[in-house]
Amino acid sequence: MLWDIFCRVIDNHGDLGVCWRLARDIVARGDKARLWVDDASALSWMAPERPDRRHGVEIRPWPVDDVEVTPGGVVIEAFGCELPAFFVARMAARQPAPRWINLEYLSAEDYVERSHGLASPQFHGPGSGLTKHFFYPGFTRRTGGLLRETGLLERIENFDGRAWLAARGWAPEEDERAVSLFAYANGHLPALLAALADQPTLVLACPGPLQPLITARPNLRTIALPYLAQDDYDRLLWASDLNFVRGEDSFVRAQWAGRPFVWQIYPQHEDDAHHAKLEAFMARAALPEAWRGIWRGWNGLGALPSSLTGLEEASAHAPAWRAQLAAQPDLLTQLLGFIKGFQLE
């Protein structure tokens, strides 16, 4: 089965990162994937292979004019990116009609369970007669789950993080903890570095606005990392003792790593809606209360504590939370079941 995945890159790498992981997983499980994206430049480091076909995924530029293609059996409209009208018209003309899925952003809020799987019949326009369904990733069995490729947890279990870091010249010294940092701009960086320096720490700083601002100090070393392919970024999370992540893609991957982590949620400055989203996840995951103070401080919802209070509890919580998530079917498995349900009707 051919899947068409449409993705618009807004202002960071997360949208493309999620769509790329989904496309790779589709191909790995035996189907075909065609990824339509308006800015594929990040794939040069995210997936450094042939520019037109990586891991068997066909990469297409976002179509601005009609294209002579037959839509696949499934069309994914990622994050409400709004499909080109001429492509929707081709979908309406296809027999049988493709399954049209709007893959939504990840949230732990209660509305996700209520909205997951809802249908939106199209009565007007080029898609008249089609039905779009809303598919919500999430953290409970009443949602669409999380992206998790086959065998992921086994690979993590058998991974030697210290050896991997050493092979790249990024190994912490014997008494240092390794901390990965991937973040948006954040005025709380000085306070965070002071808190990290309460014991010997190596900060592995990913590219971004904070990377050039991180300087060494007593008890604190730093290495500026290059852009990493997705697989290597995953390994960085597995190898680190503590991970600071941002957005959606690295947020999910940090949970699969089973290490303590701190999430910097994408800020929505107009209405501060990200505050409720952050609190909803902390409650859903039952994060230790002391560790929530670190999360709130890093996200500007209070003062950042002067030390990493709650890290020990967070270290115990992370693998238990991963096990709880792993007991649920992954996102693609649920998507396949969702589509099969239509075929049986």
Side-chain angles (χ1 to χ4, degrees):
M1 181 166 60
L2 172 63
W3 299 56
D4 279 303
I5 304 172
F6 283 81
C7 173
R8 283 194 182 275
V9 177
I10 305 303
D11 56 0
N12 287 288
H13 312 305
D15 291 352
L16 181 57
V18 170
C19 292
W20 174 244
R21 287 194 193 274
L22 174 60
R24 280 185 61 181
D25 202 5
I26 288 168
V27 171
R29 300 196 198 191
D31 280 351
K32 300 177 182 179
R34 189 162 52 194
L35 177 59
W36 305 81
V37 57
D38 63 342
D39 181 4
S41 59
L43 290 179
S44 64
W45 52 265
M46 193 181 292
E49 298 180 21
R50 278 178 48 189
D52 61 329
R53 184 176 290 275
R54 295 175 164 92
H55 291 275
V57 177
E58 183 181 352
I59 311 298
R60 290 286 195 102
W62 187 277
V64 294
D65 296 307
D66 196 9
V67 284
E68 292 290 334
V69 298
T70 300
V74 182
V75 178
I76 301 290
E77 181 179 4
F79 315 121
C81 62
E82 192 170 346
L83 302 180
F86 52 80
F87 195 88
V88 175
R90 287 182 173 273
M91 290 164 59
R94 185 187 188 278
Q95 293 298 324
R99 299 307 176 189
W100 184 358
I101 306 290
N102 188 337
L103 180 64
E104 290 286 351
Y105 285 108
L106 175 63
S107 176
E109 294 171 289
D110 291 339
Y111 77 85
V112 169
E113 292 187 339
R114 298 192 301 269
S115 304
H116 176 58
L118 291 183
S120 175
Q122 307 294 298
F123 298 110
H124 308 286
S128 180
L130 296 175
T131 298
K132 174 164 56 176
H133 285 84
F134 294 91
F135 197 93
Y136 281 82
F139 307 96
T140 72
R141 290 188 175 274
R142 294 178 60 189
T143 69
L146 303 175
L147 282 170
R148 183 180 81 247
E149 59 271 27
T150 302
L152 173 63
L153 300 185
E154 291 77 11
R155 288 194 294 276
I156 297 173
E157 183 68 24
N158 295 317
F159 179 70
D160 187 337
R162 283 297 191 260
W164 185 82
L165 289 173
R168 282 148 188 80
W170 304 338
E173 296 176 358
E174 186 174 346
D175 63 339
E176 287 180 328
R177 64 185 171 197
V179 176
S180 78
L181 179 62
F182 182 41
Y184 305 118
N186 195 319
H188 298 278
L189 178 64
L192 175 65
L193 297 179
L196 289 173
D198 67 348
Q199 71 178 66
T201 297
L202 172 62
V203 177
L204 300 167
C206 296
L210 296 189
Q211 189 186 65
L213 305 179
I214 303 172
T215 55
R217 61 178 68 193
N219 260 4
L220 196 71
R221 286 197 306 132
T222 182
I223 296 176
L225 303 184
Y227 281 104
L228 299 177
Q230 274 192 340
D231 289 342
D232 278 340
Y233 179 73
D234 289 349
R235 295 181 185 109
L236 175 68
L237 296 176
W238 306 347
S240 298
D241 301 301
L242 170 62
N243 294 304
F244 285 78
V245 295
R246 72 181 206 189
E248 179 169 326
D249 183 58
S250 61
F251 171 46
V252 171
R253 303 312 285 192
Q255 292 171 75
W256 293 134
R259 303 283 189 171
F261 72 100
V262 179
W263 177 35
Q264 185 183 13
I265 191 170
Y266 184 80
Q268 296 171 276
H269 296 298
E270 290 184 3
D271 55 5
D272 289 336
H274 60 293
H275 295 179
K277 293 179 183 296
L278 186 78
E279 294 289 343
F281 175 77
M282 292 192 295
R284 181 75 66 188
L287 284 186
E289 190 57 44
W291 196 236
R292 298 187 197 194
I294 304 293
W295 281 48
R296 292 185 182 112
W298 187 233
N299 283 277
L301 304 184
L304 190 70
S306 58
S307 64
L308 297 182
T309 306
L311 179 56
E312 184 175 346
E313 294 93 330
S315 298
H317 173 273
W321 173 240
R322 177 178 65 184
Q324 183 175 331
L325 294 175
Q328 303 169 15
D330 66 89
L331 186 142
L332 181 53
T333 294
Q334 293 205 50
L335 263 175
L336 289 166
F338 195 63
I339 292 161
K340 184 178 180 180
F342 293 131
Q343 295 168 342
L344 294 177
E345 290 178 357

